[in-house]
Amino acid sequence: REHKVTQNAEVVIIGGGVMGTATAYHLALKGCTDVVLLERRSLAAEGTGHSGAIVRQHYSQESIVRVAARSVEIFEQFKERTGVPDVFHQTGWIKIGDPGTREAMEHNIKRNRDFGVESYMLSGSDLVELVPGIVADDIEAALFEPRSGWADPVATAQGFANAAATRGVKILEDTAATGLMVDGSRVIGVETSQGTIHCDSVVVAAGPWGKTIAGWAGIDVPIDVTREQDLHFECDDETYRPRLPVSNNHDFFYWRPETGNRVLVGDGYPKEVDYVNPNDFNRQHDSSFENKIGGLLSKRLPEFAKSARIVSGYASLYDVTPDWHPILGRVPEVTGLVLCIGHSGHGFKLGPGFGELMAEEVLDGRAHSIDIDVMRFNRFAEGRLVEGQYAGNQA
C-alpha cells in the first residue's frame, strides 16, 4: 500500500506551467520559501509547453499593457535572474492588422508609449524587408515592436522553477492535486495524490483544470476549454524561412521561428471553436488542419511554403473566459484562495509579470505594483467584462 504523508506549508501552488513557476519564483524572491508547487505531470507539460510563446506588448487594456511590459523586462533579465541562458529571443515582433484597423493600431502605439512600449508602423517595403517572400500587396497595416520576440516555453517554466527551488521552494512533479480542504469560508489545505498539505494560501494556476479546482471550494468560474492545434515546419532554405514572429490578423494565423531550421505555425480567431473535456481530448492534430495551414502559408508566404515540410504537430488547450481575459487574484468568498487562470490563449507572454502580482496577492493581500482590479473574479457577477479596443483577445 502506497504511503501518503501529511505536510505543512505557507503556500501551495497548483500547476507547473509558466504561471505557477513564476509565482513560486516571485514568492521566493520576496522571502517566502515555505512553498510547495504541485504538478501532476512534468513542468510545462500542458499549455505552457505547447504555447506559441510569442512575447509581445500590443494590448489596449492599460493593466495588460503594463504586465506585458514588465514581463519583457523579466525576460530580458532571465539569465541574470535564473542562471538559464538563451530562453528569450529578442528578435522583435510584427503584428499584421486586419482591414480597417490601421487607425486603432496607430492609436494604440501612441497610447502605449506612456507605458514604456515602443513600436512603430511599417510600410509595405519595410514588411517585405523584415519578412522576405511575404505577399504584402493587400496588407493595409502592420507594426513592429523591437523589444519583443519569442521564448522557449519549457525552458522558461523550468528556469523559474529551478530558481525557486534554489531558494527553498519545494517542486513536486508527478503529484496531482485531488481536492481542496476548506473550513467554513477559508482554505486550509490541499489533498494530493501523495498525501495532504496543510497551508494558509492556495494559488490555482492549473489552466484548463482551474475550473475544476476552484469548484472544489464551491467557486464556479466561467471557463470553457477549447482544443487548439499547431504545426512544426522544417525549411533548410534560409532565404525565405521566417526570422521573427508574426501575428497575422489579416489571415488569422501566426508563425514564429524556433531554434535550428524549424518554424511553428498555428491559426487564430475567429474560427470554429472546438470545445473539449481537458481530461479526454485528441492530442493529435487533424489532417484538415494541415490543409488549412498549408493554404494560408501558400497565400501569404508562398516561397517558404514551397520548400517547407511538416515534421510534427499537436493539439493542446486554451482555458477561455467570456471576455478572453484572465481571472486573477483573491476570491472574496474563500479566504486564502488565489486564482490565476482563464488566460484564453495569450497568457504565456504575461506569465512573468502575473507571477509577480500573484506573489503580492498572497503576501501583501493585494497586487499593488500594477492594478489588476479589472481582471478579478467578481467582474462577471457585476457585469464588468473586459473589452479590448479591437482584434478580440489580440488587444
Side-chain angles (χ1 to χ4, degrees):
R1 183 177 179 179
E2 187 177 359
H3 178 65
K4 295 187 177 183
V5 299
T6 299
Q7 304 179 55
N8 296 297
E10 185 176 346
V11 184
V12 173
I13 301 168
I14 304 175
V18 66
M19 301 298 166
T21 57
T23 300
Y25 165 75
H26 284 290
L27 283 168
L29 203 62
K30 294 175 183 295
C32 178
T33 58
D34 188 13
V35 178
V36 177
L37 183 147
L38 304 174
E39 167 52 51
R40 70 186 183 97
R41 294 178 63 193
S42 57
L43 295 176
E46 297 290 355
T48 291
H50 296 100
S51 170
I54 290 175
V55 177
R56 65 173 174 89
Q57 305 163 84
H58 189 79
Y59 285 91
S60 60
Q61 286 288 334
E62 178 179 342
S63 56
I64 294 287
V65 177
R66 290 186 181 277
V67 174
R70 176 58 176 155
S71 292
V72 165
E73 290 180 354
I74 295 170
F75 273 121
E76 289 173 333
Q77 303 161 0
F78 201 83
K79 180 180 178 180
E80 176 186 347
R81 286 171 170 268
T82 69
V84 181
D86 304 322
V87 168
F88 178 42
H89 302 266
Q90 202 166 29
T91 57
W93 165 78
I94 290 173
K95 175 183 174 65
I96 296 174
D98 54 329
T101 60
R102 184 179 185 90
E103 184 177 350
M105 289 171 69
E106 290 175 338
H107 173 76
N108 235 28
I109 287 174
K110 183 177 180 180
R111 178 177 175 273
N112 289 351
R113 285 184 184 136
D114 292 338
F115 311 132
V117 178
E118 287 298 324
S119 57
Y120 54 86
M121 298 298 292
L122 297 172
S123 67
S125 59
D126 292 335
L127 185 58
V128 171
E129 183 177 350
L130 288 169
V131 188
I134 191 171
V135 175
D137 296 348
D138 60 336
I139 294 174
E140 300 173 5
L143 64 77
F144 181 68
E145 280 184 2
R147 286 182 65 193
S148 296
W150 62 280
D152 180 328
V154 176
T156 298
Q158 291 176 339
F160 279 134
N162 290 343
T166 298
R167 291 169 168 83
V169 171
K170 187 179 294 185
I171 309 292
L172 299 182
E173 297 181 90
D174 297 313
T175 306
T178 58
L180 291 181
M181 301 163 60
V182 179
D183 182 11
S185 61
R186 174 181 290 277
V187 65
I188 60 170
V190 181
E191 298 283 359
T192 83
S193 56
Q194 305 300 321
T196 300
I197 306 175
H198 296 283
C199 62
D200 299 319
S201 298
V202 174
V203 180
V204 181
W209 292 270
K211 180 180 179 69
T212 296
I213 295 169
W216 293 340
I219 302 301
D220 183 16
V221 294
I223 286 177
D224 289 317
V225 178
T226 64
R227 177 174 172 267
E228 310 292 332
Q229 302 178 68
D230 295 271
L231 296 174
H232 280 112
F233 289 80
E234 280 189 352
C235 179
D236 298 325
D237 183 356
E238 295 182 7
T239 306
Y240 297 108
R241 189 171 67 228
R243 301 189 296 266
L244 69 168
V246 175
S247 298
N248 177 0
N249 295 116
H250 191 288
D251 307 306
F252 307 114
F253 77 117
Y254 80 91
W255 61 84
R256 73 152 170 86
E258 291 201 318
T259 53
N261 61 353
R262 287 195 172 192
V263 178
L264 182 67
V265 185
D267 62 350
Y269 286 82
K271 63 181 179 180
E272 184 176 347
V273 181
D274 184 9
Y275 296 107
V276 296
N277 178 345
N279 298 311
D280 182 19
F281 71 99
N282 179 12
R283 292 178 178 266
Q284 305 300 314
H285 72 277
D286 304 330
S287 59
S288 60
F289 186 71
E290 292 189 10
N291 296 332
K292 176 182 179 179
I293 294 298
L296 291 169
L297 286 172
S298 295
K299 172 189 173 183
R300 192 56 62 192
L301 298 174
E303 296 301 323
F304 170 72
K306 288 177 185 177
S307 57
R309 58 192 178 276
I310 298 171
V311 292
S312 64
Y314 57 83
S316 190
L317 302 172
Y318 283 0
D319 48 330
V320 181
T321 64
D323 60 8
W324 286 78
H325 282 77
I327 301 170
L328 301 176
R330 291 176 174 268
V331 177
E333 295 83 358
V334 182
T335 301
L337 183 64
V338 177
L339 302 181
C340 186
I341 53 178
H343 299 283
S344 304
H346 60 116
F348 173 82
K349 65 189 68 62
L350 305 170
F354 281 160
E356 188 169 45
L357 294 169
M358 294 306 97
E360 292 174 3
E361 285 281 313
V362 171
L363 299 179
D364 304 330
R366 196 168 188 85
H368 50 81
S369 59
I370 297 172
D371 185 351
I372 58 170
D373 277 357
V374 296
M375 289 174 282
R376 294 190 179 276
F377 170 64
N378 59 8
R379 74 180 186 269
F380 301 106
E382 296 172 0
R384 298 183 293 106
L385 273 63
V386 180
E387 295 184 7
Q389 289 182 352
Y390 67 101
N393 74 319
Q394 291 297 317

